[in-house]
Amino acid sequence: MILEKIEPISKAAIQEKGIEPVVDWFERYKEYFYTLGWFSVQNQQQLEELFYQCIVKVHKEWPRYKGDVSFKMWVTTIFVQNARGFSGLKVSEETRQDLYKAIDHLEMDEKEALILTYAAGFSLEEASQILGNTVDKMKSYLFSGIQAVRNQLYGTDFHGCEEYHTHYIDYLEKSMDRPAKVEFEIHLYNCPECQADLASFQEIAATRLNRVEEVQGLTVPSQLMENVRKRLAEKKDHRQKRNKKRQKWALIFASAFAFVLALGFMTGLLPKVYYAWAEDDEQLRSYLQQGLGERLSLEAESDGVLVKIKGVVADDFQTLVFYEIHSLEEDKQYFMGFDDGVSVENESDIMKTQSYPLYSFPDAEAEMNKNAKNVFYGKVSLRPLEEAEGLIKLRINRIQELTNDPALRFGFMPGENKTGNWSFEFPATKQPSMEYTVNQQKEIEGVPIRINKLTIAPTTTVLQYAINTEKLETRIDMVNFRTLEVNKKEVEADMYGSSHFMDFQQENEWTAYQTYFDPLYGENPKEVKAQLESVYLSVVKPKTIDLGATQTFPQKIEYAGSNLTIDKVENGQMTNVMITNKEFKNREFESLQFDFQDGSADQPSITHMDSKGVLLDKAGVEYDPHKGPVDYEKLDQPRYYVTEQTLGIEGLEKNDMKLNITGYNALKYVEEVWDLSPVQLSQEKGE
């Protein structure tokens, strides 16, 4: 059902009567939303739930509606976002009509593109704005979606010319340029296959979807809105009873809180006493007890999920935001990650955009995350502030579900995302960091390593070092530290923040890096020790293998303690080369460095590259990551060995083809402890 115009709800009516005008408005346009809803839900009960959720959401979000888009578009966007939660539910094929069965099998992007464009009647530009896609992507989703629905309903016996497929959507939307349209119609006149193909597309778009309520015989049951009104009335009654209980407990809490305040003022321990009781996020609590950062109390609800922003701590390395996520309708835990549905709207104005935030690994094993199945406490790292203070405009449109399988808590449930719209604004003040000069030089594998600086910041501890690059035969690409010990207090290296390459390099023969550790704020370093874990080596060891036409394949080649098997298969203009090595006992390397050449100076074109490998622990036990997730952190000194590589190569003279192995990469575990004392305070930053 397509509505050309939907009248908005009166602002005065909502201010005067609350949610009731929203319910009346949905009653007025119930046929439109009922038709859209059936594409996502499986029964009347789910449809009632969808109506209920959308009415509550429209009422809650109403103050944010600025009129910059049509009211129809704004409400439909909320409706589509809520409908996504029902799309993953199990489908009852027996009760589902053919059109809905076909649409149920589509990808979400294809499904929503078809519904908004042809069932709801939005233009391509409007539909792309609602879904956050480009118009070109929308055209692609429409084509593949219509084609998939058509094939489900009528079979695959359509053979339109592929080179004209890109014109179908533009032609149906009447958006083709005049010359292109004339050319396409001339082709259609002479091509029966394209006529039939395009006609099937038009039948799906203009008839089956555009008039879905007529084709499928949809009628809105009389009790739909009546049941929704009953639920809203029950919710209102429950809220009133709950508020009475809160008022009673508020009096009791006020008396106890007054005692805590008095104790804090008398002893000077107000932050420690107060936050030990008042803050349930144990990670945020430790910062607040030291007087660091700002405690916040912000929340936003979208699509059945409540997101709370609890606090923020900023320094020269990151802006750490603490959050709490409640799933209001399901026993699910969600977390968020920067640049994965989380962004700062005014980032270019207030933050150092050339830096990259640290990764905040979701701590599923924390005690606070074991108390409820639908609540998760976490933190997300944003880029550091450019100035001492800034107002952060945080926008969240996607969060990710944490797997509920205890064996996989170290990983995530791939593809299980929750979309919504959660927006926050809050101030942040950058806390000072302490910099200490180290200036010591060590050596590994004959390669000098210089330790330059130790920085103790509120949210992290940073060790800056540089690797000498003058020795060409063996080069250290990376140093991995295990722990840092300051004044007998030991902290671990950041799992995802180890060995960051520094953009600013002081000397040509030295490459600077920095490793992040857990915070040590407040420590005055007198004794400093760093325990190493491993180094990643690049070793130069050249070997040339003839792959010319006169050679027989497969070849067996001895290299760096093991045997390589090299095979070659001609595939038209392309040559496929397979390199296999499944020996590990005396093998010196994890992966090879190589290139291809012939008698000319031209560089070949590698059209594709596939590889496989296995993880091997210290005891020689193999773990295949391709057969399922592996808890890498629980393995003892794991190495990842590449076992198979397949490369497609073009642009070489096949009779004079050569494989040049230039060297290899190897991981070496190092059990060394470096004494870095003494260190000297050089600068206090951020004051």
Side-chain angles (χ1 to χ4, degrees):
M1 178 180 183
I2 296 178
L3 295 179
E4 294 299 328
K5 186 177 181 181
I6 291 182
E7 294 294 332
I9 307 172
S10 166
K11 184 176 182 180
I14 291 182
Q15 291 174 341
E16 180 182 350
K17 299 181 180 180
I19 200 170
E20 189 61 30
V22 181
V23 182
D24 293 339
W25 185 90
F26 268 87
E27 178 90 58
R28 181 179 178 185
Y29 297 108
K30 59 186 177 184
E31 288 84 4
Y32 169 74
F33 291 105
Y34 187 82
T35 301
L36 294 187
W38 265 112
F39 287 102
S40 299
V41 304
Q42 315 302 323
N43 53 50
Q44 292 290 346
Q45 185 179 358
Q46 292 177 6
L47 200 53
E48 286 180 11
E49 178 63 23
L50 179 56
F51 265 67
Y52 171 82
Q53 291 181 13
C54 290
I55 289 171
V56 173
K57 181 68 176 294
V58 168
H59 179 250
K60 184 179 181 65
E61 297 290 326
W62 170 254
R64 298 184 183 181
Y65 176 59
K66 306 301 182 185
D68 49 345
V69 297
S70 70
F71 194 74
K72 173 187 174 183
M73 184 186 297
W74 183 69
V75 179
T76 304
T77 301
I78 293 176
F79 195 88
V80 169
Q81 289 172 350
N82 280 272
R84 288 170 182 162
F86 296 87
S87 295
L89 300 178
K90 188 176 181 180
V91 177
S92 176
E93 292 284 344
E94 290 76 21
T95 60
R96 205 80 165 131
Q97 298 186 41
D98 289 343
L99 176 62
Y100 295 119
K101 285 182 184 179
I103 292 177
D104 286 336
H105 289 89
L106 297 180
E107 296 293 333
M108 183 63 73
D109 290 325
E110 297 172 334
K111 180 178 181 179
E112 292 180 345
L114 261 65
I115 294 170
L116 291 174
T117 306
Y118 297 120
F122 288 104
S123 67
L124 279 176
E125 289 74 18
E126 290 172 331
S128 63
Q129 186 176 347
I130 291 173
L131 299 179
N133 288 319
T134 64
V135 172
D136 287 338
K137 280 188 176 180
M138 285 292 296
K139 291 179 182 179
S140 174
Y141 294 143
L142 288 173
F143 178 87
S144 58
I146 293 174
Q147 189 177 52
V149 171
R150 187 269 314 274
N151 292 346
Q152 284 278 333
L153 295 176
Y154 307 134
T156 59
D157 192 25
F158 296 91
H159 307 287
C161 303
E162 288 188 8
E163 62 268 29
Y164 287 94
H165 282 175
T166 55
H167 295 321
Y168 284 16
I169 301 302
D170 286 334
Y171 189 78
L172 293 177
E173 289 295 309
K174 298 180 174 61
S175 60
M176 291 186 73
D177 294 333
R178 177 67 179 170
K181 182 173 180 289
V182 171
E183 179 185 349
F184 182 50
E185 288 179 339
I186 292 173
H187 174 76
L188 283 174
Y189 182 80
N190 294 287
C191 182
E193 288 80 9
C194 281
Q195 292 175 19
D197 200 14
L198 181 62
S200 68
F201 266 61
Q202 192 166 14
E203 203 275 335
I204 296 295
T207 303
R208 298 298 292 267
L209 289 169
N210 193 266
R211 297 164 50 214
V212 65
E213 70 278 5
E214 299 174 22
V215 176
Q216 303 299 126
L218 294 179
T219 56
V220 183
S222 58
Q223 71 273 20
L224 173 69
M225 293 304 298
E226 181 181 341
N227 292 342
V228 172
R229 289 180 187 274
K230 287 180 181 179
R231 283 195 60 186
L232 291 169
E234 291 170 358
K235 180 181 179 182
K236 181 179 179 180
D237 182 61
H238 176 72
R239 184 169 60 248
Q240 289 174 343
K241 292 178 180 179
R242 186 177 58 191
N243 288 340
K244 290 181 180 179
K245 289 183 179 180
R246 284 180 176 175
Q247 290 171 1
K248 176 183 176 181
W249 282 104
L251 293 173
I252 299 173
F253 179 80
S255 300
F257 187 67
F259 171 75
V260 172
L261 285 177
L263 178 65
F265 281 115
M266 288 186 291
T267 62
L269 298 176
L270 178 60
K272 289 184 179 291
V273 175
Y274 172 73
Y275 290 119
W277 186 8
E279 181 49 60
D280 49 0
D281 187 327
E282 54 200 46
Q283 297 182 83
L284 174 59
R285 185 193 309 149
S286 64
Y287 286 104
L288 297 176
Q289 288 176 333
Q290 297 180 72
L292 298 172
E294 290 85 24
R295 193 184 191 206
L296 304 170
S297 182
L298 305 173
E299 60 181 57
E301 183 181 339
S302 179
D303 200 20
V305 174
L306 178 68
V307 176
K308 298 182 179 181
I309 301 299
K310 307 292 295 294
V312 58
V313 183
D315 58 26
D316 288 308
F317 296 94
Q318 62 179 331
T319 303
L320 208 54
V321 177
F322 295 84
Y323 63 84
E324 181 181 338
I325 300 180
H326 293 245
S327 177
L328 303 179
E329 299 165 0
E330 301 175 284
D331 283 341
K332 292 183 177 181
Q333 290 181 309
Y334 294 97
F335 67 95
M336 65 177 77
F338 185 72
D339 274 353
D340 188 14
V342 179
S343 62
V344 177
E345 184 179 290
N346 57 336
E347 183 181 66
S348 60
D349 298 327
I350 67 168
M351 291 181 165
K352 296 179 180 178
T353 55
Q354 70 276 15
S355 65
Y356 199 80
L358 305 181
Y359 184 73
S360 298
F361 195 85
D363 188 0
E365 298 303 315
E367 287 300 320
M368 58 186 177
N369 286 324
K370 296 179 180 179
N371 296 328
K373 295 181 179 180
N374 66 324
V375 180
F376 189 81
Y377 295 85
K379 59 183 185 290
V380 61
S381 175
L382 311 177
R383 290 183 170 89
L385 294 173
E386 188 75 52
E387 304 295 337
E389 297 179 348
L391 180 67
I392 297 173
K393 298 180 180 180
L394 188 66
R395 303 292 181 257
I396 305 164
N397 56 44
R398 184 172 64 253
I399 54 180
Q400 190 167 8
E401 183 183 346
L402 194 73
T403 175
N404 55 12
D405 185 347
L408 302 177
R409 294 294 279 190
F410 62 91
F412 316 129
M413 186 178 293
E416 294 294 329
N417 293 322
K418 184 81 169 179
T419 58
N421 183 19
W422 303 270
S423 298
F424 304 93
E425 290 188 14
F426 50 88
T429 301
K430 193 156 57 173
Q431 304 293 323
S433 304
M434 310 298 289
E435 283 190 2
Y436 299 87
T437 302
V438 181
N439 282 342
Q440 292 205 32
Q441 186 165 306
K442 307 293 182 179
E443 188 175 288
I444 301 177
E445 294 289 309
V447 178
I449 299 176
R450 194 168 63 194
I451 314 300
N452 298 325
K453 186 190 301 180
L454 173 67
T455 303
I456 298 180
T459 68
T460 188
T461 305
V462 184
L463 189 65
Q464 183 178 319
Y465 64 96
I467 301 174
N468 188 275
T469 57
E470 291 179 300
K471 186 178 179 181
L472 299 178
E473 296 79 13
T474 301
R475 186 178 71 249
I476 294 179
D477 293 330
M478 184 185 302
V479 177
N480 293 316
F481 292 87
R482 182 183 295 275
T483 60
L484 183 71
E485 183 182 304
V486 175
N487 302 339
K488 308 296 184 183
K489 184 177 181 180
E490 189 176 79
V491 289
E492 295 184 350
D494 183 358
M495 186 189 310
Y496 293 93
S498 183
S499 294
H500 274 240
F501 177 80
M502 297 185 66
D503 293 331
F504 177 70
Q505 303 291 329
Q506 294 181 332
E507 303 173 53
N508 291 333
E509 65 273 16
W510 294 86
T511 302
Y513 297 86
Q514 54 189 16
T515 293
Y516 296 90
F517 299 84
D518 291 339
L520 281 166
Y521 199 70
E523 292 292 329
N524 181 17
K526 300 183 183 300
E527 297 180 3
V528 181
K529 295 180 181 179
Q531 182 179 2
L532 278 72
E533 182 175 44
S534 62
V535 293
Y536 196 67
L537 303 171
S538 285
V539 179
V540 176
K541 191 170 184 177
K543 188 179 186 71
T544 300
I545 298 133
D546 189 357
L547 302 180
T550 60
Q551 302 297 316
T552 57
F553 294 93
Q555 293 189 42
K556 295 281 188 179
I557 305 295
E558 185 179 348
Y559 181 80
S562 65
N563 293 310
L564 307 177
T565 300
I566 302 175
D567 203 356
K568 187 180 77 166
V569 177
E570 302 295 345
N571 185 13
Q573 296 296 318
M574 183 172 63
T575 302
N576 288 326
V577 176
M578 288 76 73
I579 305 173
T580 307
N581 183 356
K582 298 184 179 180
E583 297 180 6
F584 308 117
K585 186 175 181 180
N586 299 312
R587 181 169 159 177
E588 300 173 12
F589 60 92
E590 275 81 54
S591 61
L592 296 172
Q593 301 171 3
F594 55 82
D595 58 29
F596 295 88
Q597 69 174 38
D598 56 14
S600 69
D602 296 334
Q603 290 295 317
S605 172
I606 299 179
T607 59
H608 69 269
M609 179 184 296
D610 298 318
S611 67
K612 294 181 181 179
V614 297
L615 282 165
L616 217 68
D617 67 10
K618 187 177 181 179
V621 179
E622 293 185 26
Y623 304 85
D624 190 345
H626 301 284
K627 294 182 179 179
V630 179
D631 193 346
Y632 185 86
E633 294 305 309
K634 293 182 180 179
L635 303 185
D636 185 14
Q637 296 189 356
R639 289 181 168 88
Y640 182 77
Y641 288 93
V642 176
T643 56
E644 299 177 36
Q645 287 179 283
T646 302
L647 304 100
I649 304 163
E650 292 181 347
L652 283 180
E653 172 54 50
K654 298 176 182 179
N655 294 328
D656 192 22
M657 185 175 178
K658 292 181 176 60
L659 168 65
N660 289 330
I661 300 178
T662 56
Y664 59 82
N665 296 107
L667 181 68
K668 180 177 182 179
Y669 284 92
V670 181
E671 297 183 2
E672 290 187 24
V673 177
W674 289 347
D675 188 346
L676 306 180
S677 307
V679 299
Q680 183 177 356
L681 179 64
S682 58
Q683 187 179 3
E684 183 172 351
K685 298 180 64 178
E687 286 284 45

